[in-house]
Amino acid sequence: MWTDKQRGIRVTQEELLCKNACGYYGNPAWQGFCSKCWRERARPAGAQKQDPRLSNDGTPLTFSKFEEKKSTEKGRRINTMRRLFWGSPSPPKRQESPETYTNVLKAYQSLEPGDFPGFLKILRSSSSQRLQSRCTAFLNTMEAYHGLPVQKQSDLVQDFYQSFAEYFSSFPEAQVTQIMEHVEKLIMTRLHKWVFCHDSCDDEQKDLALQRRIRSLNWVTPQMLSVPFPDKKTAVTGDPFLPAITAIIEMDAKRAPQDKLACVSKCSQHVFEALSTSSSEPANADDFLSGLIYVVLKANPPRLHSNMQYVIRFGLPHSLMAGESGYYFTNLSCAVAFIEKLDGPALNLSAEEFEGYMLRRRAPSVRNKRQQAARDTQHLLEELQGRQEKLDQGVDALNVQLQQWVKSIHSQLDEATTQFALVQKEIIAQAELSSSSHDASLQGDDKDQSVLVLVDKNAGPKDTDC
């Protein structure tokens, strides 16, 4: 078992959480912060860079003036978002009648979890026409201005999520989350072709670099990563991580961020299942991260960097900050960061060995695979030979037992035949004896009857004379 070996990959729960100690999951893409803390941290950092600028009249911007300008720009951004969403720069007064508003809320409250067709049906109803028109207006505006920088588009989408959620402020948080997941799927399925792998960012170049990096590490084996991966099982049942590899590859075919996260969660669950079949001990965080790294190296998922950035930019914040999906996505981000910085010590290799593997690229991988296949085949042959020997020994023992059983049956049969002959003789003798005694008794009865007849004859005349 691999538990006795030194592990090159270790992770704790504290290392997965936000550096700001807010309790949510951090992400290497946000330098270890969660999305909320990262956005709050990034804005002051941008303000410090713009501080030395000059104002319109040529005088340097003081901190107070800069804060005033920043507030003005933020107010313009909010008003723009409100125009897109509400149709006016100020929050609208309720144009629906109280009865209509109540009916809309009741319809959304009766929505079942995961019922996206039901959500579309409610959204297209006449009572929910106002919400539908806001979604349509936002989508048309985003498509018209799809040339905006991707970070600006991300901010607009996140603001739209927040503005849409305000309509259901009276709902419990769980119901608002459920509705917003449907809204995200509706919006991002439509905007996917405009914002995914946008021209304003270098996602495509990073995708190619990551694919080349993973391809150059195709010689890495489960043993190097300390993955609980027994050779016996690989030789007989194949790769137990194959379902996880398939799930992570399917992520690129999805459009909505939550669907991509579902693929990540499915992949992670398959990793845990593979670890449970490969070891009798329960999998820990180190085993899971090692297994996830192995899956990413084996799968080399298409456009992995772009898919992860797409989820980060346009996914619902709560999906990445907490919960099962947030934990799995954070581990995937850690796995990618580990692969990008992978070196010899992490694989329990010296720097010379690691460099040798990297320089030879595919040649060591092919030779190692052939050697591993030969060892696995030899082990399988030895195991089959041992089974054959045990089978032969069992057959011989069975033959001996069968012969002994046949002999014992024959002896028992002979003994039974002898006893039967004796019993038969006794029965015949007893039958003859009983037959002779019966004949003698019959003869005695005849004599008695003749005597009686004579007596009767002699006594007859005397009675007559009387």
Side-chain angles (χ1 to χ4, degrees):
M1 222 38 85
W2 299 107
T3 54
D4 299 333
K5 296 187 177 181
Q6 180 182 1
R7 297 187 179 276
I9 306 172
R10 291 186 179 275
V11 63
T12 61
Q13 183 71 14
E14 290 74 14
E15 293 173 345
L16 296 178
L17 297 177
C18 176
K19 288 183 178 180
N20 207 23
C22 64
Y24 295 115
Y25 288 115
N27 196 292
W30 300 317
Q31 298 182 5
F33 294 92
C34 67
S35 60
K36 181 180 178 181
C37 295
W38 172 252
R39 291 177 186 274
E40 293 177 354
R41 185 175 180 273
R43 288 172 183 172
Q48 293 175 3
K49 293 180 180 178
Q50 297 176 359
D51 195 12
R53 286 185 174 182
L54 298 178
S55 63
N56 294 333
D57 57 0
T59 59
L61 282 173
T62 62
F63 183 76
S64 60
K65 289 183 178 180
F66 176 77
E67 287 295 324
E68 182 180 356
K69 183 177 180 180
K70 178 185 173 185
S71 300
T72 303
E73 292 177 352
K74 184 177 180 181
R76 290 176 181 173
R77 180 183 167 204
I78 294 175
N79 290 336
T80 302
M81 194 63 228
R82 285 175 174 173
R83 286 191 183 96
L84 293 174
F85 187 71
W86 302 113
S88 63
S90 59
K93 297 179 180 179
R94 296 289 182 194
Q95 296 179 1
E96 307 105 329
S97 63
E99 182 179 358
T100 302
Y101 180 66
T102 303
N103 292 335
V104 172
L105 295 184
K106 286 183 178 179
Y108 283 102
Q109 282 179 337
S110 62
L111 189 64
E112 295 293 333
D115 187 10
F116 184 66
F119 168 78
L120 294 179
K121 184 177 180 180
I122 297 175
L123 186 65
R124 292 168 182 169
S125 63
S126 57
S127 59
S128 189
Q129 184 177 2
R130 190 159 174 258
L131 291 177
Q132 182 184 3
S133 62
R134 291 168 189 162
C135 292
T136 304
F138 176 74
L139 288 172
N140 293 336
T141 304
M142 290 293 294
E143 291 181 2
Y145 293 95
H146 65 271
L148 290 173
V150 67
Q151 189 57 46
K152 180 67 175 179
Q153 297 187 46
S154 173
D155 293 338
L156 291 176
V157 170
Q158 295 296 334
D159 290 341
F160 176 79
Y161 291 157
Q162 185 175 0
S163 300
F164 200 99
E166 291 176 358
Y167 189 85
F168 304 95
S169 57
S170 61
F171 279 21
E173 184 179 356
Q175 287 187 336
V176 176
T177 299
Q178 172 189 332
I179 295 174
M180 292 311 301
E181 287 178 353
H182 295 315
V183 173
E184 179 213 79
K185 190 169 187 176
L186 172 65
I187 296 299
M188 296 316 304
T189 301
R190 179 88 172 267
L191 297 180
H192 178 270
K193 63 180 180 180
W194 300 111
V195 300
F196 183 81
C197 199
H198 199 266
D199 295 336
S200 64
C201 58
D202 57 351
D203 289 347
E204 185 175 358
Q205 290 76 11
K206 290 184 178 180
D207 282 332
L208 295 175
L210 182 59
Q211 283 188 339
R212 287 194 296 266
R213 174 67 173 175
I214 294 176
R215 196 178 300 117
S216 67
L217 294 170
N218 61 355
W219 49 267
V220 176
T221 63
Q223 292 79 7
M224 293 179 180
L225 293 170
S226 299
V227 179
F229 198 113
D231 292 338
K232 294 181 181 180
K233 282 188 176 285
T234 59
V236 177
T237 63
D239 194 341
F241 292 91
L242 184 59
I245 294 173
T246 304
I248 196 67
I249 292 176
E250 290 176 352
M251 180 174 62
D252 187 59
K254 307 299 181 180
R255 293 188 176 184
Q258 61 180 282
D259 293 337
K260 294 182 181 293
L261 276 177
C263 292
V264 176
S265 299
K266 184 179 178 182
C267 168
S268 301
Q269 291 169 1
H270 284 309
V271 170
F272 275 112
E273 292 176 1
L275 293 174
S276 64
T277 58
S278 300
S279 176
S280 58
E281 300 178 359
N284 53 32
D286 293 340
D287 294 334
F288 169 64
L289 183 56
S290 300
L292 190 59
I293 293 171
Y294 171 75
V295 168
V296 174
L297 290 175
K298 294 293 288 185
N300 198 358
R303 301 190 293 185
L304 179 58
H305 175 80
S306 293
N307 280 293
M308 294 177 62
Q309 290 300 315
Y310 177 76
V311 173
I312 290 172
R313 292 164 182 158
F314 301 102
L316 294 173
H318 76 272
S319 299
L320 302 178
M321 294 166 58
E324 187 179 69
S325 60
Y327 175 78
Y328 291 149
F329 188 81
T330 300
N331 276 274
L332 179 61
S333 302
C334 294
V336 173
F338 176 84
I339 291 172
E340 291 175 343
K341 300 177 181 179
L342 185 61
D343 55 6
L347 300 176
N348 295 325
L349 297 175
S350 64
E352 293 76 11
E353 290 175 337
F354 182 81
E355 185 178 0
Y357 279 118
M358 295 298 293
L359 291 177
R360 288 193 295 267
R361 293 187 178 274
R362 293 184 181 271
S365 174
V366 173
R367 184 161 56 252
N368 286 340
K369 286 184 178 180
R370 289 177 179 175
Q371 293 176 355
Q372 183 66 29
R375 287 195 296 268
D376 294 341
T377 305
Q378 182 65 27
H379 176 78
L380 180 60
L381 290 175
E382 292 176 356
E383 184 178 358
L384 292 176
Q385 185 178 1
R387 291 181 180 179
Q388 186 64 37
E389 292 177 355
K390 291 182 179 179
L391 182 61
D392 294 338
Q393 294 175 0
V395 171
D396 294 338
L398 183 61
N399 288 331
V400 173
Q401 292 178 1
L402 182 60
Q403 293 175 1
Q404 293 176 353
W405 179 77
V406 170
K407 290 180 179 179
S408 64
I409 293 297
H410 286 170
S411 63
Q412 291 177 5
L413 183 60
D414 295 339
E415 184 179 356
T417 303
T418 303
Q419 291 180 356
F420 177 75
L422 294 176
V423 170
Q424 189 175 16
K425 289 180 180 180
E426 292 179 358
I427 292 174
I428 293 173
Q430 290 179 358
E432 292 176 352
L433 181 61
S434 62
S435 176
S436 60
S437 61
H438 179 67
D439 293 341
S441 63
L442 288 177
Q443 292 177 1
D445 292 338
D446 292 341
K447 291 179 179 181
D448 294 337
Q449 289 179 0
S450 61
V451 171
L452 290 174
V453 171
L454 291 174
V455 171
D456 290 338
K457 287 181 178 182
N458 294 327
K462 291 180 181 181
D463 293 337
T464 303
D465 293 339
C466 289

